[in-house]
PDB file of all heavy atoms in Angstrom:
ATOM      1  N   ASN A   1     -11.699 -10.987  -5.138  1.00  0.00           N
ATOM      2  CA  ASN A   1     -12.154 -10.667  -6.485  1.00  0.00           C
ATOM      3  C   ASN A   1     -11.057 -10.928  -7.514  1.00  0.00           C
ATOM      4  O   ASN A   1     -11.288 -11.540  -8.550  1.00  0.00           O
ATOM      5  CB  ASN A   1     -12.599  -9.205  -6.560  1.00  0.00           C
ATOM      6  CG  ASN A   1     -12.582  -8.663  -7.981  1.00  0.00           C
ATOM      7  OD1 ASN A   1     -13.442  -8.966  -8.785  1.00  0.00           O
ATOM      8  ND2 ASN A   1     -11.560  -7.884  -8.312  1.00  0.00           N
ATOM      9  N   GLU A   2      -9.858 -10.457  -7.222  1.00  0.00           N
ATOM     10  CA  GLU A   2      -8.787 -10.582  -8.213  1.00  0.00           C
ATOM     11  C   GLU A   2      -8.283 -12.017  -8.303  1.00  0.00           C
ATOM     12  O   GLU A   2      -7.899 -12.477  -9.381  1.00  0.00           O
ATOM     13  CB  GLU A   2      -7.643  -9.620  -7.875  1.00  0.00           C
ATOM     14  CG  GLU A   2      -6.933  -9.074  -9.080  1.00  0.00           C
ATOM     15  CD  GLU A   2      -7.869  -8.346 -10.034  1.00  0.00           C
ATOM     16  OE1 GLU A   2      -8.525  -7.380  -9.633  1.00  0.00           O
ATOM     17  OE2 GLU A   2      -7.941  -8.764 -11.222  1.00  0.00           O
ATOM     18  N   ALA A   3      -8.302 -12.729  -7.181  1.00  0.00           N
ATOM     19  CA  ALA A   3      -7.866 -14.128  -7.211  1.00  0.00           C
ATOM     20  C   ALA A   3      -8.775 -14.966  -8.105  1.00  0.00           C
ATOM     21  O   ALA A   3      -8.303 -15.756  -8.936  1.00  0.00           O
ATOM     22  CB  ALA A   3      -7.834 -14.706  -5.793  1.00  0.00           C
ATOM     23  N   ILE A   4     -10.105 -14.813  -7.948  1.00  0.00           N
ATOM     24  CA  ILE A   4     -11.009 -15.601  -8.791  1.00  0.00           C
ATOM     25  C   ILE A   4     -10.994 -15.102 -10.229  1.00  0.00           C
ATOM     26  O   ILE A   4     -11.263 -15.861 -11.166  1.00  0.00           O
ATOM     27  CB  ILE A   4     -12.443 -15.640  -8.224  1.00  0.00           C
ATOM     28  CG1 ILE A   4     -13.059 -14.246  -8.128  1.00  0.00           C
ATOM     29  CG2 ILE A   4     -12.469 -16.340  -6.874  1.00  0.00           C
ATOM     30  CD1 ILE A   4     -14.529 -14.260  -7.690  1.00  0.00           C
ATOM     31  N   SER A   5     -10.654 -13.817 -10.430  1.00  0.00           N
ATOM     32  CA  SER A   5     -10.529 -13.287 -11.792  1.00  0.00           C
ATOM     33  C   SER A   5      -9.290 -13.854 -12.476  1.00  0.00           C
ATOM     34  O   SER A   5      -9.331 -14.232 -13.655  1.00  0.00           O
ATOM     35  CB  SER A   5     -10.475 -11.757 -11.751  1.00  0.00           C
ATOM     36  OG  SER A   5     -11.683 -11.215 -11.270  1.00  0.00           O
ATOM     37  N   PHE A   6      -8.174 -13.905 -11.752  1.00  0.00           N
ATOM     38  CA  PHE A   6      -6.972 -14.542 -12.301  1.00  0.00           C
ATOM     39  C   PHE A   6      -7.243 -16.002 -12.642  1.00  0.00           C
ATOM     40  O   PHE A   6      -6.858 -16.494 -13.708  1.00  0.00           O
ATOM     41  CB  PHE A   6      -5.818 -14.471 -11.294  1.00  0.00           C
ATOM     42  CG  PHE A   6      -5.164 -13.121 -11.176  1.00  0.00           C
ATOM     43  CD1 PHE A   6      -4.557 -12.743  -9.987  1.00  0.00           C
ATOM     44  CD2 PHE A   6      -5.130 -12.240 -12.240  1.00  0.00           C
ATOM     45  CE1 PHE A   6      -3.939 -11.508  -9.860  1.00  0.00           C
ATOM     46  CE2 PHE A   6      -4.529 -11.000 -12.127  1.00  0.00           C
ATOM     47  CZ  PHE A   6      -3.928 -10.633 -10.931  1.00  0.00           C
ATOM     48  N   ALA A   7      -7.901 -16.692 -11.712  1.00  0.00           N
ATOM     49  CA  ALA A   7      -8.200 -18.100 -11.938  1.00  0.00           C
ATOM     50  C   ALA A   7      -9.081 -18.275 -13.170  1.00  0.00           C
ATOM     51  O   ALA A   7      -8.939 -19.243 -13.925  1.00  0.00           O
ATOM     52  CB  ALA A   7      -8.880 -18.697 -10.707  1.00  0.00           C
ATOM     53  N   CYS A   8      -9.990 -17.313 -13.381  1.00  0.00           N
ATOM     54  CA  CYS A   8     -10.867 -17.337 -14.556  1.00  0.00           C
ATOM     55  C   CYS A   8     -10.035 -17.321 -15.842  1.00  0.00           C
ATOM     56  O   CYS A   8     -10.361 -17.985 -16.820  1.00  0.00           O
ATOM     57  CB  CYS A   8     -11.797 -16.119 -14.497  1.00  0.00           C
ATOM     58  SG  CYS A   8     -13.257 -16.236 -15.528  1.00  0.00           S
ATOM     59  N   ALA A   9      -8.926 -16.581 -15.819  1.00  0.00           N
ATOM     60  CA  ALA A   9      -8.055 -16.467 -16.996  1.00  0.00           C
ATOM     61  C   ALA A   9      -7.005 -17.570 -17.053  1.00  0.00           C
ATOM     62  O   ALA A   9      -6.102 -17.525 -17.903  1.00  0.00           O
ATOM     63  CB  ALA A   9      -7.370 -15.103 -16.994  1.00  0.00           C
ATOM     64  N   GLY A  10      -7.105 -18.534 -16.146  1.00  0.00           N
ATOM     65  CA  GLY A  10      -6.209 -19.687 -16.218  1.00  0.00           C
ATOM     66  C   GLY A  10      -4.975 -19.601 -15.352  1.00  0.00           C
ATOM     67  O   GLY A  10      -4.127 -20.502 -15.392  1.00  0.00           O
ATOM     68  N   VAL A  11      -4.841 -18.540 -14.554  1.00  0.00           N
ATOM     69  CA  VAL A  11      -3.680 -18.404 -13.683  1.00  0.00           C
ATOM     70  C   VAL A  11      -3.873 -19.293 -12.453  1.00  0.00           C
ATOM     71  O   VAL A  11      -4.976 -19.374 -11.900  1.00  0.00           O
ATOM     72  CB  VAL A  11      -3.483 -16.937 -13.236  1.00  0.00           C
ATOM     73  CG1 VAL A  11      -2.208 -16.782 -12.404  1.00  0.00           C
ATOM     74  CG2 VAL A  11      -3.436 -16.003 -14.450  1.00  0.00           C
ATOM     75  N   SER A  12      -2.793 -19.961 -12.005  1.00  0.00           N
ATOM     76  CA  SER A  12      -2.863 -20.816 -10.824  1.00  0.00           C
ATOM     77  C   SER A  12      -1.734 -20.473  -9.869  1.00  0.00           C
ATOM     78  O   SER A  12      -0.886 -19.624 -10.149  1.00  0.00           O
ATOM     79  CB  SER A  12      -2.765 -22.291 -11.228  1.00  0.00           C
ATOM     80  OG  SER A  12      -1.425 -22.621 -11.572  1.00  0.00           O
ATOM     81  N   GLU A  13      -1.715 -21.169  -8.736  1.00  0.00           N
ATOM     82  CA  GLU A  13      -0.668 -20.928  -7.742  1.00  0.00           C
ATOM     83  C   GLU A  13       0.711 -21.315  -8.262  1.00  0.00           C
ATOM     84  O   GLU A  13       1.734 -20.939  -7.677  1.00  0.00           O
ATOM     85  CB  GLU A  13      -0.983 -21.712  -6.466  1.00  0.00           C
ATOM     86  CG  GLU A  13      -1.043 -23.207  -6.661  1.00  0.00           C
ATOM     87  CD  GLU A  13      -1.431 -23.958  -5.405  1.00  0.00           C
ATOM     88  OE1 GLU A  13      -1.802 -23.306  -4.410  1.00  0.00           O
ATOM     89  OE2 GLU A  13      -1.373 -25.204  -5.418  1.00  0.00           O
ATOM     90  N   ASP A  14       0.770 -22.056  -9.344  1.00  0.00           N
ATOM     91  CA  ASP A  14       2.051 -22.445  -9.921  1.00  0.00           C
ATOM     92  C   ASP A  14       2.634 -21.380 -10.842  1.00  0.00           C
ATOM     93  O   ASP A  14       3.763 -21.529 -11.326  1.00  0.00           O
ATOM     94  CB  ASP A  14       1.893 -23.753 -10.717  1.00  0.00           C
ATOM     95  CG  ASP A  14       1.463 -24.918  -9.840  1.00  0.00           C
ATOM     96  OD1 ASP A  14       1.938 -24.987  -8.691  1.00  0.00           O
ATOM     97  OD2 ASP A  14       0.632 -25.731 -10.296  1.00  0.00           O
ATOM     98  N   ASP A  15       1.869 -20.327 -11.096  1.00  0.00           N
ATOM     99  CA  ASP A  15       2.313 -19.290 -12.030  1.00  0.00           C
ATOM    100  C   ASP A  15       2.985 -18.125 -11.321  1.00  0.00           C
ATOM    101  O   ASP A  15       2.822 -17.915 -10.112  1.00  0.00           O
ATOM    102  CB  ASP A  15       1.124 -18.776 -12.840  1.00  0.00           C
ATOM    103  CG  ASP A  15       0.631 -19.783 -13.865  1.00  0.00           C
ATOM    104  OD1 ASP A  15       1.431 -20.170 -14.727  1.00  0.00           O
ATOM    105  OD2 ASP A  15      -0.539 -20.197 -13.782  1.00  0.00           O
ATOM    106  N   THR A  16       3.744 -17.355 -12.108  1.00  0.00           N
ATOM    107  CA  THR A  16       4.333 -16.097 -11.654  1.00  0.00           C
ATOM    108  C   THR A  16       3.854 -14.996 -12.593  1.00  0.00           C
ATOM    109  O   THR A  16       3.888 -15.159 -13.819  1.00  0.00           O
ATOM    110  CB  THR A  16       5.868 -16.155 -11.663  1.00  0.00           C
ATOM    111  OG1 THR A  16       6.299 -17.213 -10.800  1.00  0.00           O
ATOM    112  CG2 THR A  16       6.473 -14.843 -11.177  1.00  0.00           C
ATOM    113  N   ILE A  17       3.397 -13.887 -12.009  1.00  0.00           N
ATOM    114  CA  ILE A  17       2.816 -12.792 -12.770  1.00  0.00           C
ATOM    115  C   ILE A  17       3.757 -11.588 -12.729  1.00  0.00           C
ATOM    116  O   ILE A  17       4.253 -11.226 -11.659  1.00  0.00           O
ATOM    117  CB  ILE A  17       1.453 -12.371 -12.180  1.00  0.00           C
ATOM    118  CG1 ILE A  17       0.497 -13.564 -12.096  1.00  0.00           C
ATOM    119  CG2 ILE A  17       0.836 -11.237 -12.992  1.00  0.00           C
ATOM    120  CD1 ILE A  17      -0.732 -13.305 -11.241  1.00  0.00           C
ATOM    121  N   GLN A  18       4.001 -10.987 -13.879  1.00  0.00           N
ATOM    122  CA  GLN A  18       4.766  -9.733 -13.911  1.00  0.00           C
ATOM    123  C   GLN A  18       3.788  -8.570 -14.036  1.00  0.00           C
ATOM    124  O   GLN A  18       3.005  -8.501 -14.987  1.00  0.00           O
ATOM    125  CB  GLN A  18       5.761  -9.709 -15.068  1.00  0.00           C
ATOM    126  CG  GLN A  18       6.633  -8.446 -15.079  1.00  0.00           C
ATOM    127  CD  GLN A  18       7.961  -8.658 -15.770  1.00  0.00           C
ATOM    128  OE1 GLN A  18       8.612  -9.683 -15.571  1.00  0.00           O
ATOM    129  NE2 GLN A  18       8.374  -7.709 -16.586  1.00  0.00           N
ATOM    130  N   LEU A  19       3.835  -7.673 -13.063  1.00  0.00           N
ATOM    131  CA  LEU A  19       2.902  -6.555 -13.002  1.00  0.00           C
ATOM    132  C   LEU A  19       3.496  -5.344 -13.700  1.00  0.00           C
ATOM    133  O   LEU A  19       4.493  -4.775 -13.243  1.00  0.00           O
ATOM    134  CB  LEU A  19       2.579  -6.230 -11.541  1.00  0.00           C
ATOM    135  CG  LEU A  19       1.603  -5.086 -11.269  1.00  0.00           C
ATOM    136  CD1 LEU A  19       0.267  -5.330 -11.951  1.00  0.00           C
ATOM    137  CD2 LEU A  19       1.414  -4.898  -9.772  1.00  0.00           C
ATOM    138  N   MET A  20       2.884  -4.940 -14.816  1.00  0.00           N
ATOM    139  CA  MET A  20       3.374  -3.814 -15.616  1.00  0.00           C
ATOM    140  C   MET A  20       2.484  -2.591 -15.447  1.00  0.00           C
ATOM    141  O   MET A  20       2.301  -1.800 -16.378  1.00  0.00           O
ATOM    142  CB  MET A  20       3.467  -4.218 -17.091  1.00  0.00           C
ATOM    143  CG  MET A  20       4.443  -5.356 -17.350  1.00  0.00           C
ATOM    144  SD  MET A  20       4.633  -5.708 -19.115  1.00  0.00           S
ATOM    145  CE  MET A  20       5.774  -7.091 -19.053  1.00  0.00           C
ATOM    146  N   THR A  21       1.893  -2.454 -14.258  1.00  0.00           N
ATOM    147  CA  THR A  21       1.138  -1.238 -13.928  1.00  0.00           C
ATOM    148  C   THR A  21       1.643  -0.729 -12.584  1.00  0.00           C
ATOM    149  O   THR A  21       2.230  -1.483 -11.794  1.00  0.00           O
ATOM    150  CB  THR A  21      -0.373  -1.511 -13.812  1.00  0.00           C
ATOM    151  OG1 THR A  21      -0.610  -2.324 -12.658  1.00  0.00           O
ATOM    152  CG2 THR A  21      -0.913  -2.203 -15.037  1.00  0.00           C
ATOM    153  N   THR A  22       1.380   0.534 -12.316  1.00  0.00           N
ATOM    154  CA  THR A  22       1.832   1.106 -11.052  1.00  0.00           C
ATOM    155  C   THR A  22       1.032   0.547  -9.881  1.00  0.00           C
ATOM    156  O   THR A  22      -0.136   0.198 -10.021  1.00  0.00           O
ATOM    157  CB  THR A  22       1.718   2.642 -11.087  1.00  0.00           C
ATOM    158  OG1 THR A  22       2.271   3.174  -9.896  1.00  0.00           O
ATOM    159  CG2 THR A  22       0.271   3.089 -11.203  1.00  0.00           C
ATOM    160  N   ILE A  23       1.674   0.456  -8.734  1.00  0.00           N
ATOM    161  CA  ILE A  23       0.996   0.012  -7.517  1.00  0.00           C
ATOM    162  C   ILE A  23       0.863   1.169  -6.538  1.00  0.00           C
ATOM    163  O   ILE A  23       0.249   1.047  -5.491  1.00  0.00           O
ATOM    164  CB  ILE A  23       1.753  -1.172  -6.885  1.00  0.00           C
ATOM    165  CG1 ILE A  23       0.860  -1.913  -5.870  1.00  0.00           C
ATOM    166  CG2 ILE A  23       3.068  -0.726  -6.249  1.00  0.00           C
ATOM    167  CD1 ILE A  23       1.451  -3.218  -5.378  1.00  0.00           C
ATOM    168  N   ASP A  24       1.442   2.333  -6.901  1.00  0.00           N
ATOM    169  CA  ASP A  24       1.388   3.496  -6.015  1.00  0.00           C
ATOM    170  C   ASP A  24       0.414   4.535  -6.579  1.00  0.00           C
ATOM    171  O   ASP A  24      -0.518   4.198  -7.288  1.00  0.00           O
ATOM    172  CB  ASP A  24       2.798   4.082  -5.809  1.00  0.00           C
ATOM    173  CG  ASP A  24       3.481   4.433  -7.131  1.00  0.00           C
ATOM    174  OD1 ASP A  24       2.849   4.288  -8.200  1.00  0.00           O
ATOM    175  OD2 ASP A  24       4.648   4.860  -7.090  1.00  0.00           O
ATOM    176  N   ARG A  25       0.597   5.802  -6.229  1.00  0.00           N
ATOM    177  CA  ARG A  25      -0.211   6.923  -6.735  1.00  0.00           C
ATOM    178  C   ARG A  25      -1.714   6.755  -6.487  1.00  0.00           C
ATOM    179  O   ARG A  25      -2.544   7.142  -7.306  1.00  0.00           O
ATOM    180  CB  ARG A  25       0.052   7.153  -8.226  1.00  0.00           C
ATOM    181  CG  ARG A  25       1.504   7.477  -8.540  1.00  0.00           C
ATOM    182  CD  ARG A  25       1.682   7.855  -9.985  1.00  0.00           C
ATOM    183  NE  ARG A  25       3.084   8.068 -10.304  1.00  0.00           N
ATOM    184  CZ  ARG A  25       3.526   8.440 -11.495  1.00  0.00           C
ATOM    185  NH1 ARG A  25       2.661   8.634 -12.483  1.00  0.00           N
ATOM    186  NH2 ARG A  25       4.802   8.626 -11.708  1.00  0.00           N
ATOM    187  N   ARG A  26      -2.055   6.130  -5.372  1.00  0.00           N
ATOM    188  CA  ARG A  26      -3.458   5.963  -4.972  1.00  0.00           C
ATOM    189  C   ARG A  26      -4.269   5.209  -6.039  1.00  0.00           C
ATOM    190  O   ARG A  26      -5.449   5.458  -6.248  1.00  0.00           O
ATOM    191  CB  ARG A  26      -4.108   7.319  -4.664  1.00  0.00           C
ATOM    192  CG  ARG A  26      -3.359   8.164  -3.663  1.00  0.00           C
ATOM    193  CD  ARG A  26      -4.195   9.312  -3.115  1.00  0.00           C
ATOM    194  NE  ARG A  26      -4.657  10.222  -4.117  1.00  0.00           N
ATOM    195  CZ  ARG A  26      -4.105  11.413  -4.382  1.00  0.00           C
ATOM    196  NH1 ARG A  26      -3.042  11.814  -3.709  1.00  0.00           N
ATOM    197  NH2 ARG A  26      -4.605  12.205  -5.307  1.00  0.00           N
ATOM    198  N   PHE A  27      -3.615   4.258  -6.697  1.00  0.00           N
ATOM    199  CA  PHE A  27      -4.202   3.506  -7.803  1.00  0.00           C
ATOM    200  C   PHE A  27      -4.718   2.165  -7.287  1.00  0.00           C
ATOM    201  O   PHE A  27      -3.961   1.363  -6.757  1.00  0.00           O
ATOM    202  CB  PHE A  27      -3.133   3.291  -8.876  1.00  0.00           C
ATOM    203  CG  PHE A  27      -3.620   2.713 -10.170  1.00  0.00           C
ATOM    204  CD1 PHE A  27      -4.809   3.140 -10.746  1.00  0.00           C
ATOM    205  CD2 PHE A  27      -2.866   1.757 -10.844  1.00  0.00           C
ATOM    206  CE1 PHE A  27      -5.241   2.619 -11.960  1.00  0.00           C
ATOM    207  CE2 PHE A  27      -3.289   1.236 -12.059  1.00  0.00           C
ATOM    208  CZ  PHE A  27      -4.476   1.670 -12.614  1.00  0.00           C
ATOM    209  N   MET A  28      -6.029   1.932  -7.402  1.00  0.00           N
ATOM    210  CA  MET A  28      -6.604   0.704  -6.862  1.00  0.00           C
ATOM    211  C   MET A  28      -6.170  -0.533  -7.624  1.00  0.00           C
ATOM    212  O   MET A  28      -5.873  -1.582  -7.026  1.00  0.00           O
ATOM    213  CB  MET A  28      -8.131   0.774  -6.847  1.00  0.00           C
ATOM    214  CG  MET A  28      -8.782  -0.510  -6.304  1.00  0.00           C
ATOM    215  SD  MET A  28     -10.575  -0.500  -6.334  1.00  0.00           S
ATOM    216  CE  MET A  28     -10.928   0.442  -4.862  1.00  0.00           C
ATOM    217  N   ALA A  29      -6.113  -0.470  -8.950  1.00  0.00           N
ATOM    218  CA  ALA A  29      -5.907  -1.670  -9.760  1.00  0.00           C
ATOM    219  C   ALA A  29      -4.590  -2.363  -9.433  1.00  0.00           C
ATOM    220  O   ALA A  29      -4.548  -3.581  -9.240  1.00  0.00           O
ATOM    221  CB  ALA A  29      -5.966  -1.321 -11.242  1.00  0.00           C
ATOM    222  N   GLY A  30      -3.499  -1.603  -9.367  1.00  0.00           N
ATOM    223  CA  GLY A  30      -2.207  -2.221  -9.091  1.00  0.00           C
ATOM    224  C   GLY A  30      -2.190  -2.938  -7.755  1.00  0.00           C
ATOM    225  O   GLY A  30      -1.658  -4.048  -7.628  1.00  0.00           O
ATOM    226  N   LEU A  31      -2.800  -2.328  -6.739  1.00  0.00           N
ATOM    227  CA  LEU A  31      -2.899  -2.954  -5.424  1.00  0.00           C
ATOM    228  C   LEU A  31      -3.756  -4.215  -5.499  1.00  0.00           C
ATOM    229  O   LEU A  31      -3.418  -5.253  -4.906  1.00  0.00           O
ATOM    230  CB  LEU A  31      -3.497  -1.963  -4.426  1.00  0.00           C
ATOM    231  CG  LEU A  31      -3.732  -2.488  -3.004  1.00  0.00           C
ATOM    232  CD1 LEU A  31      -2.419  -2.887  -2.357  1.00  0.00           C
ATOM    233  CD2 LEU A  31      -4.449  -1.426  -2.165  1.00  0.00           C
ATOM    234  N   ALA A  32      -4.861  -4.132  -6.240  1.00  0.00           N
ATOM    235  CA  ALA A  32      -5.749  -5.290  -6.377  1.00  0.00           C
ATOM    236  C   ALA A  32      -5.013  -6.474  -7.007  1.00  0.00           C
ATOM    237  O   ALA A  32      -5.154  -7.624  -6.564  1.00  0.00           O
ATOM    238  CB  ALA A  32      -6.968  -4.919  -7.222  1.00  0.00           C
TER     239      ALA A  32
END
């Protein structure tokens, strides 16, 4: 889901993404 969503926004395998949300605290979005 997130891969095709990123691709929808123009992100490709050549890009690097900086994640400014938490990945812990039982949070689904950061893990996704």
Side-chain angles (χ1 to χ4, degrees):
N1 158 75
E2 213 58 58
I4 61 175
S5 295
F6 284 152
C8 198
V11 184
S12 75
E13 61 183 8
D14 298 322
D15 288 301
T16 301
I17 305 167
Q18 183 154 317
L19 180 57
M20 298 185 182
T21 68
T22 185
I23 197 170
D24 55 3
R25 300 187 184 182
R26 307 195 300 259
F27 189 42
M28 179 183 279
L31 177 63

